[in-house]
């Protein structure tokens, strides 16, 4: 069979399949997924699903009938083992699958805690797949002691669920403050305050030396010498793009599977989208690890495979839910030299500027600030920071200015 072979049944793979079918009624579209589940959304894994508020079926991006009705051939629980780019064939479950176009939507994998410091003990969990959560969730019992390692969004969201369910939650972040890579000090201060209010024991500037236990984790030694007794640990120390298949096939990788503006890799007929793909953005290689990027980039790639020839322009946005706090982020704050706060603690918004240029907005329980900020950034408009900070400013009016 030839056609469009999609490798990876996640957010990007599912979006690519749907878009390709919408554009071409006849092309064959096999969608190959290493995981056994129908393509599903990951954000609720560390939020409502872990909390027990969301049924498994609601995670699925589309019901199985959608794939049948649209002649998208799902092959799940079956990783693609290799790609022969010269012969335009992929290998799955011992079968060869020919392609005209092949899309790599292989996503990311969590950075594991090294086995030498306890990463392979029972009771040590990462947060990426539905199976990860199903294994971890029974441990989330009131009174249990969980160590969260890493103060990124995944670790903070897991801490929020644990805090809400009445667990004892120390969280260690080895750098000076959490969210250091992605958010300003001002945003981190607001997030920290909410966690402290809910009893999470935040320890910044403190790393994990090692987990201890015989077979199962029972404790941790921290870099400041503290010893903690534990029932389990959640590791959120980052992700890396899943480039294994691409590298084995000789496809160029640079901070991810390197694609051009169209989403094409170094090999003709091979494309990539979503978490695994790196692309040029203002002179540097960028990967975006977000739902919005996975969908938009995948749809752009589907259109380009079918001849659209339109460069992908990312419109970054992201969100995080912790307790009753909703954080929404528009734009990319890389290179900011100034943060302007609008409003008090909550609701409020933090506006990132590089000189006079508005780069990004973090909105905390402030949906309108987020919407206006996003539209201003997309329109390339940069209101005077003093005007933003002024509580009397009608934000919506800035869109017309
Ligand atoms: P994925 O969804 O990871 O899908 C990749 C798929 O490819 C996987 O199923 C993988 O098994 C499969 N695969 C890999 N190799 C092979 C192979 N050789 N053969 C076949 N299949 C293969 N983003 C937001 O914007 N907001 C949020 O609030 C948010 N919260 C998140 C919470 C959690 C817990 C996690 C894990 C992520 C969150 N994200 C969030 C990020 C978002 O989910 C990802 O950016 C998005 O899923 C990326 O989509 P993708 O298709 O590129 O990768």
């Amino acid at each position: 069979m030839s056609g469009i072979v999609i490798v990876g049944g996640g957010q990007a793979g599912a979006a690519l399949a749907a878009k390709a079918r919408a554009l071409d009624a006849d092309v064959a579209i096999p969608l190959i997924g290493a995981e056994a589940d129908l393509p599903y959304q990951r954000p609720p894994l560390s939020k409502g699903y872990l909390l027990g508020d969301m049924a498994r079926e609601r995670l699925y991006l589309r019901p199985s009938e959608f794939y049948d009705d649209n002649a998208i051939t799902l092959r799940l629980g079956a990783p693609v083992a290799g790609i022969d780019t010269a012969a335009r064939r992929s290998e799955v479950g011992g079968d060869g699958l020919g392609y005209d176009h092949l899309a790599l939507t292989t996503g990311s994998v969590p950075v594991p805690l090294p086995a030498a410091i306890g990463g392979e003990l029972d009771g040590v969990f990462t947060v990426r797949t539905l199976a990860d959560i199903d294994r971890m969730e029974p441990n989330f019992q009131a009174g249990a002691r969980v160590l969260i390692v890493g103060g990124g969004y995944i670790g903070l969201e897991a801490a929020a669920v644990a805090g809400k369910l009445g667990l004892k939650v120390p969280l260690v972040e080895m750098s000076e403050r959490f969210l250091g890579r992605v958010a300003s000090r001002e945003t981190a201060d607001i997030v920290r305050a909410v966690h402290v209010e809910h009893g999470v024991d935040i320890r910044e500037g403190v790393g994990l030396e090692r987990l201890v236990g015989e077979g199962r984790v029972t404790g941790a030694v921290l870099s400041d010498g503290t010893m903690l007794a534990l029932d389990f640990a959640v590791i959120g120390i980052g992700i890396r793009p899943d480039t294994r298949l691409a590298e084995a096939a000789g496809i160029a990788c640079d901070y991810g599977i390197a694609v051009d503006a169209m989403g094409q890799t170094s090999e003709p007929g091979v494309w990539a989208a979503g978490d695994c793909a790196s692309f040029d953005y203002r002179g540097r290689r960028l990967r975006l690890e977000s739902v919005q990027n996975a969908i938009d980039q995948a749809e752009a790639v589907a259109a380009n495979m079918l001849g659209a020839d339109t460069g992908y322009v990312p419109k970054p946005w992201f969100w995080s839910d912790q307790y009753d706090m909703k954080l929404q982020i528009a734009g990319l704050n890389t290179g900011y030299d100034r943060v302007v706060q609008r409003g008090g603690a909550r609701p409020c918004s933090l506006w990132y500027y590089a000189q006079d240029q508005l780069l990004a907005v973090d909105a905390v329980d402030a949906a309108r600030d987020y919407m206006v900020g996003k539209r201003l950034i997309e329109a390339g408009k940069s209101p005077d920071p003093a005007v933003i900070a002024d509580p009397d400013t009608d934000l919506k009016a800035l869109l017309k200015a």
Side-chain angles (χ1 to χ4, degrees):
M1 192 205 299
S2 291
I4 298 176
V5 171
I6 303 173
V7 184
Q11 191 88 52
L16 204 149
K19 183 71 176 182
R21 175 55 72 230
L23 294 174
D24 187 323
D26 301 321
V27 66
I29 310 178
L31 173 55
I32 321 294
E35 293 181 69
D37 282 286
L38 285 172
Y40 60 90
Q41 41 170 338
R42 296 186 195 279
L45 296 183
S46 50
K47 307 177 181 80
Y49 185 70
L50 181 57
L51 197 54
D53 270 358
M54 194 175 180
R56 192 182 184 87
E57 292 65 40
R58 283 191 50 215
L59 296 174
Y60 297 139
L61 294 165
R62 315 257 193 184
S64 61
E65 301 81 57
F66 171 83
Y67 302 97
D68 295 340
D69 294 349
N70 285 281
I72 295 166
T73 313
L74 285 181
R75 189 158 174 177
L76 300 174
V80 171
I83 307 165
D84 179 341
T85 55
R88 293 207 176 200
R89 284 174 78 75
S90 56
E91 189 209 315
V92 51
D95 300 334
L97 198 58
Y99 63 83
D100 298 311
H101 296 282
L102 180 136
L104 292 165
T105 54
T106 50
S108 299
V109 284
V111 174
L113 190 72
I117 60 168
E120 286 180 0
L121 290 169
D122 287 344
V124 179
F125 302 100
T126 49
V127 189
R128 182 72 195 175
T129 66
L130 197 37
D132 289 339
I133 305 303
D134 289 344
R135 273 192 296 271
M136 175 167 71
E137 188 272 337
N139 294 276
F140 277 67
Q141 303 294 335
R145 298 157 302 179
V146 56
L147 174 67
I148 311 278
V149 183
Y153 285 118
I154 297 285
L156 289 167
E157 289 183 354
V161 170
K164 225 168 162 173
L165 293 175
L167 282 78
K168 295 193 173 60
V169 197
L171 180 151
V172 290
E173 165 55 55
M174 66 188 283
S175 53
E176 177 217 344
R177 71 167 172 87
F178 64 53
L179 296 180
R181 197 173 57 88
V182 290
S184 65
R185 185 171 296 281
E186 290 82 348
T187 300
D189 287 347
I190 293 166
V191 174
R192 184 185 307 102
V194 180
H195 280 275
V196 169
E197 197 182 299
H198 285 83
V200 175
D201 172 9
I202 304 263
R203 304 183 186 201
E204 292 162 294
V206 179
L208 171 69
E209 192 109 336
R210 63 183 189 280
L211 296 175
V212 293
E214 308 236 331
R216 187 178 170 95
V217 65
T218 52
V221 180
L222 306 184
S223 60
D224 61 3
T226 309
M227 295 185 65
L228 298 175
L230 297 182
D231 295 304
F232 67 107
V234 175
I235 311 299
I237 54 176
I239 55 176
R240 53 178 163 72
D242 193 341
T243 56
R244 290 171 289 187
L245 200 56
E247 284 181 57
I251 294 165
C253 292
D254 175 9
Y255 191 60
I257 303 171
V259 296
D260 64 15
M262 303 299 147
Q264 175 114 236
T265 70
S266 59
E267 287 296 326
V270 181
W271 308 70
D275 276 18
C276 66
S278 83
F279 51 96
D280 186 73
Y281 184 72
R282 298 181 180 159
R284 68 185 180 101
R285 303 249 21 119
L286 181 72
R287 267 186 300 110
L288 292 173
E289 296 152 358
S290 72
V291 165
Q292 191 61 37
N293 177 67
I295 296 170
D296 291 351
Q297 197 178 20
E299 291 187 347
V301 164
N304 286 332
M305 279 176 170
L306 295 165
D309 205 28
T310 306
Y312 171 57
V313 181
K315 295 180 180 168
W317 74 269
F318 188 81
W319 77 95
S320 178
D321 299 330
Q322 297 167 40
Y323 313 99
D324 60 346
M325 179 181 69
K326 186 161 203 72
L327 182 61
Q328 292 167 290
I329 300 157
L332 289 178
N333 65 18
T334 315
Y336 73 92
D337 53 30
R338 180 172 182 191
V339 178
V340 177
Q341 183 155 351
R342 180 177 168 83
R346 283 173 66 190
C348 74
S349 51
L350 294 309
W351 299 64
Y352 297 81
Y353 283 82
Q355 296 182 344
D356 294 333
Q357 192 193 347
L358 176 62
L359 299 178
V361 178
D362 295 345
V364 185
D365 300 329
R368 191 185 38 195
D369 293 20
Y370 162 74
M371 279 309 299
V372 173
K374 184 169 186 285
R375 287 172 62 188
L376 287 170
I377 293 162
E378 285 171 11
K381 293 183 178 172
S382 296
D384 185 333
V387 171
I388 291 294
D390 183 347
D392 293 331
T393 298
D394 173 7
L395 282 183
K396 278 195 175 161
L398 298 176
L399 293 169
K400 297 187 197 110

